[in-house]
Amino acid sequence: MFYYRPLVQSGPKPADALPLTGGPLWFNQVERLSRTEAPQILPASELPEDWQRRLCRPRPALAGLSMDRPRIMGILNVTPDSFSDGGSFNAPEAALAHAKTMAEAGAEMIDVGGESTRPGAAEVPIDQEIERTAPVIRAIAPLGLPISIDTRKSAVGRAAAEAGAGLINDVSGFAYDPALADVASTFALPVCVMHMRKAPEDMHLDPHYDNALLDVYDELEERVAAAEAAGIPRARILADPGIGFAKTAQHNLEILNRLSLFHGMGCPLLLGVSRKRFIGSIGQAPEARDRAPGSIAVALAGIAQGVQMVRVHDVAETAQALRLWLAVRDGREA
């Protein structure tokens, strides 16, 4: 089996180039990958028709946001134990204030989470997770930004949808509680399907892959297909390779290095690397709060490969960096 990774470029587009997901980025070469042969660079004209279709077709809007330019999802953790900002925004008033700050700084979606998914985190009871998230979603809904609920549980997703959430973001890829996909289908909500093995409690214990890039691609494609089979059209699915979830720093780097492969799923891509442990270890920033520069560097590297959405803690800093990155790419102010 062969996989085809577009070698993404920007700037003036040659006549033989193909558009990446219908946007301003393009490619005229692909890297052919397999589990048994060495990688090979081929002209894009040699792409199989199904791969060309998935790589090139425009991505429909999600939750009211067009996917023709990079978008920023701001993280709003209403938990006491999240690895970076646990306990800071538990109360609806504090959460609303932070959501306003992120919106003014450039966030275009707010992701509300009531259960920490850091390595080793314990599961939160359903009632407690609803109590943490639903009031916050109701409080911030008048801001007018799309709201995502970060949960693995169908009851939490239903309560969030009723409170005003417009997207369900499931780190388990709808494997933990398959009924959550039914909630998304019932409310006609878009979803984010992420790759993860095991659960937060034990995902960090000796993760192993035969080929991190291709194993994660295949497993994530399986979860996307399962969501599609549950009644969620692929046009309403964001795909997230799950950087830092059941992956070592080396696994993360192998995936990030060839991230554009994941456009082959035919879905817009979300990248969540903000303040994660590998950024601290490689960037020599032991404290999570000091990892904004490294987080932005990796986010922009993903955007250069065509990622449509980045999930971040440091919204103002990321938005500034993105504005400059786009201005340099296009050679003009937006």
Side-chain angles (χ1 to χ4, degrees), residues 1-2 4 20-21 48-59 217 221 234 262-267:
M1 178 178 177
F2 291 116
Y4 297 86
L20 181 71
T21 70
E49 183 178 347
D50 57 337
W51 275 87
Q52 179 175 328
R53 183 173 61 254
R54 293 196 299 269
L55 291 172
C56 295
R57 67 187 177 200
R59 304 307 191 234
Y217 183 94
E221 169 59 30
R234 195 167 287 239
F262 289 83
H263 291 296
M265 294 181 180
C267 303

Side-chain angles (χ1 to χ4, degrees), residues 213-246:
L213 176 72
L214 301 185
D215 289 355
V216 170
Y217 183 94
D218 286 346
E219 292 169 21
L220 182 55
E221 169 59 30
E222 287 177 5
R223 299 314 311 157
V224 169
E228 194 173 28
I232 305 170
R234 195 167 287 239
R236 293 210 302 261
I237 297 175
L238 271 167
D240 178 353
I243 299 300
F245 285 79

Side-chain angles (χ1 to χ4, degrees), residues 8 64 97 105 126 132 157 164 180 196 215 221 224 246 277 294 297 308 315:
V8 182
I126 290 173
R132 290 176 178 179
L180 183 56
M196 178 175 68
D215 289 355
E221 169 59 30
V224 169
R277 182 177 300 176
Q308 285 89 355
V315 172

Side-chain angles (χ1 to χ4, degrees), residues 150-166:
D150 180 355
T151 187
R152 300 178 288 164
K153 300 162 189 164
S154 58
V156 179
R158 180 174 295 276
E162 292 170 348

Side-chain angles (χ1 to χ4, degrees), residues 97-320:
H98 188 54
K100 284 182 177 178
T101 298
M102 290 194 290
E104 291 167 358
E108 295 167 287
M109 181 180 289
I110 303 295
D111 188 49
V112 177
E115 178 181 63
S116 175
T117 52
R118 61 179 172 77
E123 183 176 342
V124 173
I126 290 173
D127 289 349
Q128 186 176 3
E129 192 176 341
I130 291 173
E131 289 170 4
R132 290 176 178 179
T133 55
V136 166
I137 291 169
R138 280 192 291 271
I140 67 177
L143 294 178
L145 270 67
I147 300 169
S148 167
I149 176 65
D150 180 355
T151 187
R152 300 178 288 164
K153 300 162 189 164
S154 58
V156 179
R158 180 174 295 276
E162 292 170 348
L167 184 144
I168 294 175
N169 178 16
D170 182 0
V171 298
S172 80
F174 296 86
Y176 176 84
D177 181 358
L180 183 56
D182 297 331
V183 173
S185 180
T186 298
F187 285 86
L189 295 182
V191 302
C192 181
V193 176
M194 198 192 80
H195 175 272
M196 178 175 68
R197 288 180 174 178
K198 300 182 180 179
E201 296 95 317
D202 58 1
M203 65 181 180
H204 58 295
L205 302 177
D206 193 29
H208 173 77
Y209 297 89
D210 294 329
N211 181 313
L213 176 72
L214 301 185
D215 289 355
V216 170
Y217 183 94
D218 286 346
E219 292 169 21
L220 182 55
E221 169 59 30
E222 287 177 5
R223 299 314 311 157
V224 169
E228 194 173 28
I232 305 170
R234 195 167 287 239
R236 293 210 302 261
I237 297 175
L238 271 167
D240 178 353
I243 299 300
F245 285 79
K247 299 168 186 72
T248 65
Q250 183 58 39
H251 295 148
N252 293 332
L253 295 173
E254 290 171 14
I255 293 163
L256 290 165
N257 181 252
R258 288 181 160 96
L259 190 61
S260 61
L261 172 69
F262 289 83
H263 291 296
M265 294 181 180
C267 303
L269 302 181
L270 181 141
L271 180 63
V273 297
S274 185
R275 299 185 182 179
K276 290 192 173 176
R277 182 177 300 176
F278 81 103
I279 289 176
S281 61
I282 296 172
Q284 300 178 15
E287 298 296 326
R289 64 177 177 271
D290 297 328
R291 297 174 189 169
S295 301
I296 292 167
V298 179
L300 292 181
I303 288 168
Q305 294 194 58
V307 164
Q308 285 89 355
M309 188 174 290
V310 290
R311 181 180 181 272
V312 307
H313 295 86
D314 303 292
V315 172
E317 296 85 346
T318 304
Q320 181 186 110

